[in-house]
Amino acid sequence: MPELSHGRRMLVLAICCMSLLIVSLDNTVLNVALPSLQRELNASTSGLQWTIDAYTLVLASLLMLAGSTADRIGRRRVFMAGLVVFTLGSLLCSLAPDLNWLVVFRMVQAVGGSMLNPVAMSIITNTFTNPRERARAIGVWGAVVGLSMAAGPLVGGVLVDSVGWRSIFWVNLPVGLAALLLTWRFVPESRAPRARRPDPVGQVLVIALFGSLTYAIIEAPHGTWRSTAPFAALALIALLSLLRYEPRRPEPLIDLRFFRSAPFSGATVIAVSAFAALGGFLFLSTLYLQNVRGLSALEAGLWMLPMAVPTFLCAPLSGRLVGSRGPRLPLLFAGGAMTVSGLLFALFEAETSNATLVVGYVLFGVGFGLVNAPITNTAVSGMPTDQAGVASAVASTSRQLGQTLGVAVLGAVLAAGVGASSYADTFVTASRPGWWILAACGAVVLVLGALTTGPWARGTAERAAARLATEERPRAGVGG
């Protein structure tokens, strides 16, 4: 990629952030619309889970493929294709006649989304080569997630209450078209000097692992052991096959050598834990506020602002902290805040009091706002620059997998606890195990944030990078 002026770099960052905005906004807006979807389409709890997880599941399954493909054939080209598919999928979602078609069209959206975020992060990584500038750019990137969380509940509430749930997908159309035109005009093309070749077997195994695991979790409360056990077994077989097959390939879909770095491994697990907490938190909160408290979509959106605003404010602060002091401090604060938030709900039933509900929301918003920038920065730092797409795609995959599992696990726990009763009668008791899980996710962020950011962890990263560079040279010679 040619050296760009400061103004042009800022414009590229803005265009990439537009893609993140529509993808992130789509999820937060949809959460507010879940009760309306439930009523209009007669959806069960598992049906609501699938409207979210069909998207995040496909996204998680295809992100690494999209990252390596973009490195190979051109990041700008793949990014533009993603904008086209995502915008078309959004239009189809707004026209869905029933829940099944909505789930299918959400999967179409996800195919486009898989070509946006990891590729945009790769473009940013290659545009901002100075480490300090890159950390600040990633902080802005994280702030956009906060902006989507702040705007999503309000935008969704206004649209759902005034026009209906279908209108939430219309928001993506003008933004997607504008981003497409700006990308075509201002974003330069870039490719990796030597990108990985396709790995179809690895891709199939990833899809089998993520899909079968999610299905087994979501359907467990509604089916029998015999109906879900085969999918759990398939997930285990796919995982073991990946661990055996991928290291044997010269250019694998998932380069397991990256995980020799403790910071990279820690960032991956932290991403899964933090975004599992986010997915579960949004799912439980929106159902509680509307189905138990009886609030409208707009009123529920306003109640979620104490969570969304701190996320928006803390994300750029986290980026600056990572750039000046490293990732440890924001990760420790993030893990601590998320853990305390979960414990407030699990131990003290925070949702039953307005004051404790607001405190719990603020703490979670602070924690989640601080966690995103160190995840991204750690994932791409120390990795070979010509594999930026693959490295950032692993981090993005971890986020989406975490959100998928959060909705699947906490939704399954809620469904099992509620049973045939109404939400209003049993929600607080039925959701308590879910809040314990959320607190545990925060504790994972806290512990790994301490363990994988110290001198020992940095030493493993340096050794992994040196070993990776040594092993890449013979492979490059063999590949010609």
Side-chain angles (χ1 to χ4, degrees):
M1 179 182 287
E3 184 67 28
L4 304 178
S5 66
H6 176 75
R8 185 73 174 271
R9 291 198 300 274
M10 292 298 104
L11 182 58
V12 170
L13 175 62
I15 295 169
C16 290
C17 286
M18 289 176 70
S19 73
L20 176 64
L21 178 63
I22 57 176
V23 172
S24 301
L25 191 67
D26 193 71
N27 272 335
T28 52
V29 169
L30 181 61
N31 268 279
V32 175
L34 287 179
S36 296
L37 276 169
Q38 189 175 35
R39 290 189 296 270
E40 186 170 328
L41 301 181
N42 194 29
S44 62
T45 299
S46 64
L48 297 181
Q49 289 171 273
W50 280 117
T51 60
I52 297 175
D53 275 0
Y55 178 85
T56 55
L57 178 60
V58 173
L59 205 63
S61 299
L62 298 180
L63 282 171
M64 287 178 287
L65 173 64
S68 59
T69 301
D71 282 346
R72 184 170 57 254
I73 71 172
R75 298 175 181 121
R76 176 175 175 266
R77 179 181 299 176
V78 172
F79 187 70
M80 291 178 66
L83 287 169
V84 171
V85 176
F86 185 86
T87 305
L88 176 61
S90 299
L91 177 61
L92 291 174
C93 285
S94 71
L95 303 174
D98 55 41
L99 183 68
N100 292 333
W101 279 110
L102 178 60
V103 170
V104 170
F105 294 148
R106 287 280 288 166
M107 295 171 74
V108 174
Q109 259 192 317
V111 173
S114 69
M115 294 183 270
L116 294 180
N117 287 3
V119 180
M121 178 53 64
S122 181
I123 291 172
I124 291 172
T125 302
N126 283 270
T127 300
F128 294 88
T129 54
N130 179 275
R132 187 177 294 272
E133 280 193 359
R134 178 185 294 173
R136 290 174 178 170
I138 291 173
V140 173
W141 175 265
V144 173
V145 177
L147 176 62
S148 71
M149 291 187 66
L154 288 179
V155 172
V158 170
L159 291 175
V160 171
D161 282 353
S162 60
V163 184
W165 65 265
R166 297 179 187 277
S167 62
I168 64 177
F169 297 104
W170 299 343
V171 177
N172 300 330
L173 305 183
V175 179
L177 291 174
L180 179 64
L181 293 174
L182 290 171
T183 302
W184 174 75
R185 177 66 179 84
F186 294 108
V187 176
E189 184 61 280
S190 64
R191 296 178 178 84
R194 192 182 65 84
R196 280 174 168 77
R197 284 173 275 183
D199 180 9
V201 174
Q203 183 62 61
V204 170
L205 289 173
V206 166
I207 293 173
L209 170 60
F210 292 173
S212 56
L213 178 62
T214 304
Y215 182 89
I217 294 172
I218 290 179
E219 298 301 328
H222 313 286
T224 63
W225 180 86
R226 290 184 177 181
S227 65
T228 55
F231 290 92
L234 178 59
L236 179 60
I237 293 171
L239 175 61
L240 295 176
S241 300
L242 269 173
L243 294 177
R244 180 176 177 81
Y245 174 78
E246 290 296 280
R248 297 167 180 258
R249 279 186 56 84
E251 295 180 339
L253 177 70
I254 306 174
D255 196 332
L256 300 180
R257 296 174 299 168
F258 287 174
F259 292 93
R260 296 169 182 165
S261 164
F264 184 86
S265 299
T268 302
V269 178
I270 287 170
V272 171
S273 300
F275 278 77
L278 173 66
F281 192 97
L282 293 176
F283 190 80
L284 293 180
S285 294
T286 191
L287 291 179
Y288 171 76
L289 292 171
Q290 295 186 57
N291 287 353
V292 179
R293 286 205 169 192
L295 303 179
S296 68
L298 178 57
E299 290 170 332
L302 291 171
W303 263 102
M304 293 173 73
L305 280 180
M307 176 195 65
V309 172
T311 299
F312 173 65
L313 296 176
C314 290
L317 171 63
S318 179
R320 287 193 290 271
L321 282 173
V322 171
S324 60
R325 302 188 60 178
R328 168 171 280 200
L329 193 61
L331 284 176
L332 294 180
F333 278 119
M338 294 171 72
T339 302
V340 174
S341 174
L343 291 176
L344 271 179
F345 288 92
L347 291 174
F348 304 106
E349 297 182 352
E351 64 265 52
T352 59
S353 163
N354 289 344
T356 53
L357 181 66
V358 170
V359 172
Y361 278 11
V362 169
L363 284 171
F364 188 87
V366 169
F368 188 75
L370 291 172
V371 81
N372 210 26
I375 290 172
T376 305
N377 184 269
T378 305
V380 300
S381 296
M383 293 297 108
T385 56
D386 62 344
Q387 301 298 338
V390 177
S392 61
V394 172
S396 297
T397 297
S398 302
R399 291 183 178 91
Q400 298 303 327
L401 178 61
Q403 193 163 353
T404 301
L405 293 177
V407 173
V409 172
L410 271 71
V413 167
L414 178 65
V418 171
S421 306
S422 67
Y423 279 155
D425 295 333
T426 59
F427 185 94
V428 173
T429 301
S431 63
R432 189 174 299 165
W435 294 116
W436 277 111
I437 294 171
L438 192 148
C441 289
V444 170
V445 174
L446 176 64
V447 172
L448 288 183
L451 291 178
T452 63
T453 55
W456 166 81
R458 287 193 294 271
T460 67
E462 292 169 0
R463 290 191 295 272
R467 187 173 176 182
L468 189 62
T470 301
E471 293 175 357
E472 280 297 316
R473 282 195 290 269
R475 289 186 180 194
V478 171

